[in-house]
């Protein structure tokens, strides 16, 4: 086992409070492109950061709705990969363990993780643009009939357009989730950082908060990220390889 992974095992053997921050990299081996991967095909000419905004939706609701329908189509067949399953197994090895994810897919939950804080929403859900019945006013579009060629359906309560239940650029994160993520970060003895470029705040602030409060940071990413210069240990390998080996080594050492 390479040195970084051995160090990670040593640190985790002594920990009881562990938090994990995941990004799109943990779902890459499930076939879901990371957020900054070049968009394929029809969407290649669009910059996702220009589509995932309120302004873009107000300007062209059909374009943004179709972009999310495209992403949902890619995500639908995706299955949890070895990294998701390893993280679900890790949860049972520590008295306190929570995953904070920036991802909008549900692969952590489908792998069996029970404590998952979703900072950026859930792409498989939709809601009223105006949250007319409270935040969020979820809308089950399967119960609606509308002209799909015309773009999104309208809210059955108020007639406003329906939008994906995800956080767009420039929007605030759900306050309860954000608070829970900060609390978990400052109480952690160890933070695992898996598959994120560390470019988008406030999610990317969590490692600094954790480290400032005394946590050891262990990054799992094949390449360097914006966080690599800050972390204590960098395991430079795909999460689908490194995390299962970490779990096996921890189990062998009877954590
Ligand atoms: P990015 O696409 O920015 O970064 C993905 C990271 O995963 C990169 O650092 C890759 O090197 C790494 N990676 C790729 N394959 C991997 C593997 N097999 N194992 C481990 N790591 C791997 O995605 P995020 O950091 O998640 O926000 O992006 C953060 C946020 O930016 C997203 O949640 C989204 C976007 O704006 C919103 O939608 C609000």
């Amino acid at each position: 086992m390479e040195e970084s992974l051995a160090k990670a095992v040593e640190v985790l053997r002594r920990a009881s409070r562990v938090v994990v921050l995941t990004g799109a990299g943990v779902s890459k081996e499930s076939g879901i492109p990371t957020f900054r991967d070049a968009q394929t095909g029809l969407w290649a000419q669009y910059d996702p950061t220009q589509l995932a905004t309120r302004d873009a939706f107000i300007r062209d609701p059909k374009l943004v709705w179709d972009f999310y329908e495209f992403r949902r189509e890619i995500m639908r067949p995706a299955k949890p990969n070895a990294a998701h399953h390893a993280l679900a197994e890790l949860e049972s090895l520590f008295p306190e363990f929570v995953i904070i994810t920036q991802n909008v897919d549900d692969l952590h939950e489908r792998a069996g993780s029970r404590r998952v804080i979703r900072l950026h929403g859930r792409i498989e859900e939709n809601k009223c643009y105006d949250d007319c019945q409270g935040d969020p006013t979820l809308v089950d579009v399967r119960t609606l009939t509308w002209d799909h060629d015309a773009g999104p359906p309208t809210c059955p309560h108020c007639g406003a357009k329906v939008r994906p239940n995800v956080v767009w650029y420039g929007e605030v994160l759900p306050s309860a989730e954000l608070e829970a993520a900060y609390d978990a970060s400052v109480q952690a003895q160890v933070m695992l950082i898996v598959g994120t470029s560390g470019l988008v705040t406030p999610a990317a602030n969590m490692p600094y908060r954790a480290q400032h409060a005394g946590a050891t940071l262990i990054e799992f990413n094949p390449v360097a990220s914006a966080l690599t210069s800050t972390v204590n240990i960098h395991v430079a390998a795909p999460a689908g390889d490194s995390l299962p080996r970490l779990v096996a080594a921890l189990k062998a050492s009877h954590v």
Side-chain angles (χ1 to χ4, degrees):
M1 173 182 300
E2 67 271 38
E3 193 189 337
S4 58
L5 204 52
K7 277 190 201 156
V9 172
E10 256 328 287
V11 166
L12 282 164
R13 287 184 63 220
R14 298 191 299 271
S16 56
R17 297 192 307 279
V18 176
V19 67
V20 187
L21 173 68
T22 65
V26 79
S27 297
K28 176 85 179 283
E29 293 162 79
S30 295
I32 297 178
T34 63
F35 209 88
R36 285 170 182 77
D37 267 356
Q39 298 295 331
T40 51
L42 170 64
W43 299 98
Q45 75 269 33
Y46 291 103
D47 170 358
T49 59
Q50 300 306 310
L51 288 172
T53 71
R54 287 177 92 96
D55 290 349
F57 185 74
I58 291 167
R59 200 172 41 247
D60 191 340
K62 176 172 168 35
L63 177 68
V64 176
W65 179 260
D66 289 352
F67 173 58
Y68 277 89
E69 288 292 86
F70 164 71
R71 289 182 64 195
R72 292 190 254 235
E73 226 161 275
I74 290 180
M75 289 185 176
R76 216 156 268 135
K79 300 223 177 344
N81 65 60
H84 295 106
H85 289 299
L87 290 173
E89 270 195 87
L90 270 185
E91 186 173 305
S92 61
L93 300 181
F94 297 96
E96 290 182 47
F97 184 95
V98 63
I99 294 176
I100 301 165
T101 190
Q102 304 169 82
N103 299 341
V104 291
D105 63 54
D106 59 352
L107 296 177
H108 282 306
E109 293 91 342
R110 283 169 54 196
S113 291
R114 285 162 308 146
R115 287 207 64 205
V116 182
I117 298 171
R118 303 276 286 262
L119 289 181
H120 292 165
R122 299 163 187 272
I123 199 168
E124 73 274 11
E125 291 179 348
N126 291 290
K127 68 176 190 174
C128 167
Y129 185 87
D130 293 335
D131 280 328
C132 63
Q133 309 294 310
D135 180 8
T137 299
L138 296 182
V139 175
D140 182 352
V141 297
R142 293 169 304 181
T143 63
L144 305 178
T145 49
W146 80 97
D147 171 9
H148 290 239
D149 292 337
T154 53
C155 171
H157 306 290
C158 73
K161 292 209 180 321
V162 169
R163 55 164 283 184
N165 183 26
V166 297
V167 174
W168 279 336
Y169 282 95
E171 289 188 315
V172 293
L173 274 61
S175 50
E177 284 77 1
L178 189 55
E179 197 182 323
Y182 276 130
D183 287 350
S185 298
V186 298
Q187 288 164 38
Q189 292 161 311
V190 181
M191 175 181 270
L192 309 184
I193 302 163
V194 185
T196 182
S197 55
L199 293 173
V200 173
T201 58
N205 295 336
M206 304 294 160
Y208 300 104
R209 292 288 185 98
Q211 189 171 60
H212 183 71
T216 301
L217 304 183
I218 307 174
E219 181 174 31
F220 294 81
N221 193 327
V223 300
S225 73
L227 299 164
T228 304
S229 58
T230 308
V231 304
N232 303 90
I233 302 168
H234 177 208
V235 180
D241 298 345
S242 51
L243 288 177
R245 293 170 62 205
L246 177 80
V247 171
L250 284 171
K251 283 184 163 179
S253 65
H254 306 304
V255 156

